[in-house]
Amino acid sequence: RSFERLWRLSAYASLAAGLHNLSPLRPSVGSRPTYNCRQADNPENILKNAEELLRSSSWGKTLTDEEMTKALAGTTERSYAPGAFICMKGEPVEFWMGIIDGLGKMASHWTTGKTTSLTGISTGGWFGEGSLLKKEARRYDVMAIRETRVAFMNRSTFLWLLDHSIPFNRYMIEQLNERLGQFIGMMENERLLDIDTRIARVLAALFNPVLYPGTNRLLQISQEELGYLAGVSRQRANQALKTLEDAGLVRSEYGGINILELDGLRRFGD
């Protein structure tokens, strides 16, 4: 228990220091954002800032001018280094979060050293709505797998949109339904599928058009990062990728994985 307390205090101190530096969202006129070098080959898929994330989101496109102004005023953004906690299990939930650029891993970490990987969260994906709606402490950790920029919409703004925007409510129903289907599928994958098939499902899950609308077919992810998401070693992820390559479903390239047959990944192992 002492070890757990020290570990949590240390992690919370790091997280608090980051939250202290949250910057209010401002229009990006004249800004010069620093892009992730891993995504430099796909500049059309790089979101410059939180404002662009909001305006390009399916729900953002349905907002009135008044609603968008309110959403922008209630949103901040910040960057995380690889391995940093974006949010932590047990903390109060005060924000709805979206990935501007980068890759996060939703997981549960135990003081015994065991880790359960739940899902990856890629560019354009929003998360945390369930805990925000239930007003409960967060039940999972989210860590940055690589340098990641995140938008934070505060609770009052999120609830205001629910009260004033019917399209935002429709989006939220669809988001929660997709998330439920995702986790049901994950339970099936974990209990019934071999590792090669699990890797195929992890890759396919990053292309959910509702949860992760910004994912490009040239997936900017390393074998180590893929292993983190699937809960396996880099070496085992590499073996699985070779199996998928032999099946003509993917092709490993410099700095990423080219998805050749998305439907094939979804059906692999059936």
Side-chain angles (χ1 to χ4, degrees):
R1 291 181 181 274
S2 296
F3 175 81
E4 179 179 0
R5 189 176 298 110
L6 288 172
W7 182 85
R8 286 288 174 186
L9 285 174
S10 175
Y12 272 120
S14 174
L15 182 63
L19 290 176
H20 179 72
N21 293 321
L22 278 170
S23 57
L25 183 59
R26 296 183 177 88
S28 57
V29 176
S31 65
R32 299 178 62 187
T34 300
Y35 295 137
N36 191 316
C37 63
R38 297 177 58 83
Q39 296 186 331
D41 293 334
N42 296 284
E44 71 277 8
N45 291 301
I46 298 174
L47 296 173
K48 296 180 177 65
N49 52 34
E51 179 178 357
E52 187 171 336
L53 173 64
L54 266 64
R55 293 190 182 279
S56 64
S57 296
S58 60
W59 58 268
K61 295 175 182 178
T62 68
L63 299 183
T64 65
D65 290 343
E66 177 191 5
E67 291 164 350
M68 177 56 72
T69 299
K70 179 75 172 181
L72 292 174
T75 303
T76 54
E77 64 177 88
R78 83 171 298 261
S79 297
Y80 292 86
F85 282 90
I86 297 173
C87 57
M88 292 186 63
K89 182 178 179 178
E91 70 181 4
V93 180
E94 298 298 336
F95 298 96
W96 188 41
M97 289 162 280
I99 302 294
I100 302 169
D101 180 38
L103 181 64
K105 179 182 76 168
M106 186 180 294
S108 183
H109 297 83
W110 295 83
T111 54
T112 59
K114 293 183 178 181
T115 298
T116 298
S117 297
L118 301 176
T119 186
I121 310 167
S122 56
T123 299
W126 290 84
F127 61 96
E129 60 279 344
S131 298
L132 201 58
L133 288 168
K134 290 186 288 186
K135 299 181 181 179
E136 65 177 14
R138 194 174 304 282
R139 303 182 66 179
Y140 52 83
D141 302 308
V142 177
M143 296 180 65
I145 290 181
R146 69 169 72 120
E147 184 176 343
T148 300
R149 290 182 292 129
V150 183
F152 289 78
M153 178 182 289
N154 63 49
R155 174 190 291 274
S156 62
T157 301
F158 177 82
L159 295 178
W160 188 91
L161 287 173
L162 285 178
D163 289 340
H164 291 80
S165 173
I166 292 177
F168 186 75
N169 277 269
R170 288 174 177 159
Y171 164 83
M172 197 55 56
I173 292 171
E174 187 177 14
Q175 169 93 344
L176 291 169
N177 186 49
E178 288 290 334
R179 188 75 73 192
L180 177 61
Q182 179 188 46
F183 282 105
I184 290 174
M186 285 169 51
M187 289 182 64
E188 179 185 48
N189 296 348
E190 184 72 24
R191 296 180 181 182
L192 301 178
L193 303 182
D194 59 42
I195 292 178
D196 292 346
T197 308
R198 280 167 52 192
I199 291 289
R201 296 294 195 274
V202 167
L203 288 172
L206 292 174
F207 290 88
N208 184 300
V210 176
L211 298 177
Y212 314 117
T215 307
N216 186 271
R217 283 298 180 103
L218 179 55
L219 189 61
Q220 308 296 321
I221 188 172
S222 70
Q223 294 172 6
E224 184 177 23
E225 292 167 349
L226 181 58
Y228 286 151
L229 296 182
V232 301
S233 68
R234 181 189 64 80
Q235 293 81 2
R236 188 61 186 87
N238 181 44
Q239 293 176 18
L241 281 176
K242 289 180 179 177
T243 299
L244 298 178
E245 282 192 87
D246 291 341
L249 302 178
V250 303
R251 183 174 62 243
S252 295
E253 299 183 2
Y254 178 76
I257 301 169
N258 197 333
I259 307 300
L260 304 178
E261 289 287 344
L262 182 56
D263 288 339
L265 287 176
R266 290 170 174 153
R267 297 192 306 267
F268 185 82
D270 289 347

